[in-house]
Structure formats: structure tokens, C-alpha cells
Amino acid sequence: MRLLGLALLVITGLAACENKGLRQLQGTSDGPDEFIVTPVKTLAQPDSFTALPTPTPGGSNIVDLQPLSDSAAALGGRRASGGAVPASDAALVAHAGRRGVSPTIRETLASEDADFRRRKARFTQIRLVPVDRYNQAYRREALDPQVVAEQYRLRGVPTPSAPPPPSGFRQ
């Protein structure tokens, strides 16, 4: 009986030492990747086959999705061709960049985030049950939607009604 108890204790201790990092996002199966499939628009017969553009190898297709243009149109704007900023949005872009724009912002944020996650995960290696390390690390950074909505309402900002907080929700 003692041997069985000791074996269970050793197995539990070894299982607690597993470190998967903050978020284990790598797939473990050899199955198909569902994110490779790209949906296309439905095929439609043109009014005139002579009005179609000439095909270009490696060029875009009429039925290919244009996510940036489609999302801009869905939000009530338009995206200029070539990635240029439309003249109607020049004032917005100038206001957003009024304090300067760092060309290395992505690299800076990535290194700061990696350092933050490394500091937060320093003493979280031993757990007896699976825990979401990502939510643990970013708990203080997260916004509570109920509190934020109430703050906006108190300032007179019209806000849509939000669903009630889930049961067991702690503030």
C-alpha cells in the first residue's frame, strides 16, 4: 500500500512539472489544416464576355476575396488602391500620427510582451490541475465590460445594453 501511494505521489509530482508556457497554440494532429481553405465569391456569368479583363498569370481573380476593401466598405469607408490613404481620411491619419510614428512598434511590443509573459510565468510552473496561464498573466490588464459600460453610462455616453454578467462572475 505504501508503494502504491509513493508511486501515485511520484506520478503526480512529475505531471505537475510539465511546462506548456502561457498558451500552447501548436496543433498536435497530423490532420488537414482548416485555415488553409479560402472561401471565394460565388461564380457569376458576366453580361459580356468581351468586357472581361485579359488574364494575367499570378494576377488576382474577380472572385477572389478582398478582405481589406470588403471590411472598409462594411464599416462605411473605402480603401484606396495600392494601400494609399484616401484624401477623405488624410485628416484622421494625420491626427492619429500627431505624436510621431515608430517604425519598429511591432518589434518593440513583441519584445515587451515576451518579457512580461516571462516575468509572470516565473513561479507558475508547478500546478496539479490544468490552468490557463494566459489569463493568469493578463488578469490585471483585462477590462471588465460591465464596469466600463457603467462608467460610460454615468458620463452620458449612449451604450447598447449588455447581457448580464455570467453567474459566479467576480469583480
Side-chain angles (χ1 to χ4, degrees):
M1 189 65 175
R2 274 186 156 172
L3 188 60
L4 180 62
L6 182 62
L8 286 175
L9 185 63
V10 169
I11 290 172
T12 304
L14 289 175
C17 293
E18 181 183 14
N19 179 13
K20 290 188 177 183
L22 287 176
R23 279 256 164 117
Q24 183 72 19
L25 298 177
Q26 297 170 348
T28 57
S29 72
D30 293 331
D33 186 2
E34 62 273 9
F35 296 107
I36 286 179
V37 178
T38 305
V40 295
K41 296 178 184 174
T42 58
L43 292 176
Q45 185 171 346
D47 296 333
S48 169
F49 286 100
T50 58
L52 290 174
T54 57
T56 55
S60 64
N61 193 340
I62 295 174
V63 295
D64 288 344
L65 294 178
Q66 305 293 328
L68 294 177
S69 300
D70 293 345
S71 61
L75 294 172
R78 66 183 183 285
R79 183 170 173 83
S81 61
V85 177
S88 60
D89 293 339
L92 175 67
V93 172
H95 182 74
R98 67 190 180 279
R99 294 193 177 101
V101 179
S102 172
T104 61
I105 187 67
R106 291 181 189 270
E107 294 81 12
T108 303
L109 288 176
S111 66
E112 288 175 358
D113 187 57
D115 183 49
F116 175 79
R117 286 184 282 122
R118 188 176 61 252
R119 281 194 325 265
K120 290 293 182 178
R122 189 169 289 158
F123 297 109
T124 60
Q125 303 299 322
I126 300 174
R127 296 283 183 202
L128 296 177
V129 294
V131 177
D132 188 357
R133 306 261 188 250
Y134 187 87
N135 286 335
Q136 279 184 340
Y138 288 101
R139 181 179 297 138
R140 294 183 186 204
E141 307 291 324
L143 292 176
D144 181 358
Q146 302 295 328
V147 172
V148 172
E150 186 60 30
Q151 288 173 348
Y152 275 101
R153 286 187 192 113
L154 291 175
R155 290 186 176 94
V157 177
T159 57
S161 67
S167 62
F169 183 74
R170 295 182 312 177
Q171 291 186 357

